[in-house]
Amino acid sequence: MPAQIDIKEVHWLLDIVQCIDVGVIVLDRQYRVEVFNSFMENHSGLGPDEVHGKSLFELFKEIDEAWFRRKVDTVVTLGTRAFSLWEQRPYLVHFKNYQPITGRADFMYQNVTLLPLATSSGQVEHICVVIYDATEAAVHKNAS
C-alpha cells in the first residue's frame, strides 16, 4: 500500500526548497525547467513564469551543452548522483558574486550536484540540479 501523503508535509518541503541557500532546478528529460527555486530567481533575475517549460540551454547560454548532457546521461543511465566542483569548472550558470564589497571574485564559483529523480516504477524522468555557492572557498584557496 503506498504511503499516504500529508499535504502539510508537502507544504513544508516546498518551503524548504524555496528557502534554502542553494539553487534548485528540476528538469524533465528534454531539459525543460519544472522547478526553479528562489535562490535561482534571486541570482538570475528570472521569475518562475519566465523559466517554466523553457529549455535550460536557452535560459543559460553559457552552459556547455555537450558536457552537461553527458553528465545527465550518466546520472540517468546509472541512477546515481554526479558532481562538478568549482576546481573542474568554475560555474554552471554565470551569476555575479553577490558579495561585491567583501568578495574578491567577479562571479559566483559553484559546486553542482545532479540527482536522478525516479518515478515509482524506477525510471529516471527528471533531474534535480543543486547549485552551491563555493565562492568563499574558491577565493580563499586561490589566495593561498
Side-chain angles (χ1 to χ4, degrees):
M1 174 180 252
Q4 191 105 16
I5 296 175
D6 183 344
I7 196 71
K8 290 185 287 188
E9 290 178 18
V10 172
H11 282 288
W12 294 338
L13 292 173
L14 290 174
D15 281 347
I16 292 167
V17 167
Q18 283 301 331
C19 295
I20 58 175
D21 198 27
V22 298
V24 175
I25 307 169
V26 175
L27 303 170
D28 67 15
R29 291 292 291 122
Q30 287 71 46
Y31 299 91
R32 292 180 300 232
V33 175
E34 294 202 5
V35 173
F36 198 75
N37 78 342
S38 58
F39 177 99
M40 294 302 297
E41 291 176 37
N42 294 335
H43 291 288
S44 71
L46 299 170
D49 294 340
E50 296 172 89
V51 300
H52 191 266
K54 301 261 176 53
S55 165
L56 183 70
F57 307 118
E58 290 174 23
L59 295 168
F60 300 103
K61 297 192 186 313
E62 68 272 19
I63 295 175
D64 180 340
E65 185 173 341
W67 170 84
F68 190 78
R69 284 180 181 274
R70 281 192 308 274
K71 288 291 248 190
V72 168
D73 286 346
T74 300
V75 169
V76 171
T77 301
L78 300 177
T80 59
R81 294 177 288 182
F83 305 93
S84 176
L85 301 176
W86 69 266
E87 292 99 337
Q88 302 161 323
R89 183 173 295 270
Y91 55 83
L92 176 66
V93 291
H94 190 271
F95 290 154
K96 290 181 181 172
N97 177 15
Y98 65 94
Q99 301 169 333
I101 295 171
T102 58
R104 293 172 286 176
D106 295 330
F107 59 88
M108 178 191 293
Y109 286 85
Q110 299 162 0
N111 290 336
V112 178
T113 302
L114 302 176
L115 306 164
L117 300 177
T119 64
S120 57
S121 65
Q123 291 220 297
V124 177
E125 293 186 5
H126 293 86
I127 299 294
C128 180
V129 181
V130 183
I131 298 174
Y132 306 87
D133 182 355
T135 306
E136 190 173 322
V139 167
H140 179 72
K141 185 170 181 181
N142 288 338
S144 44

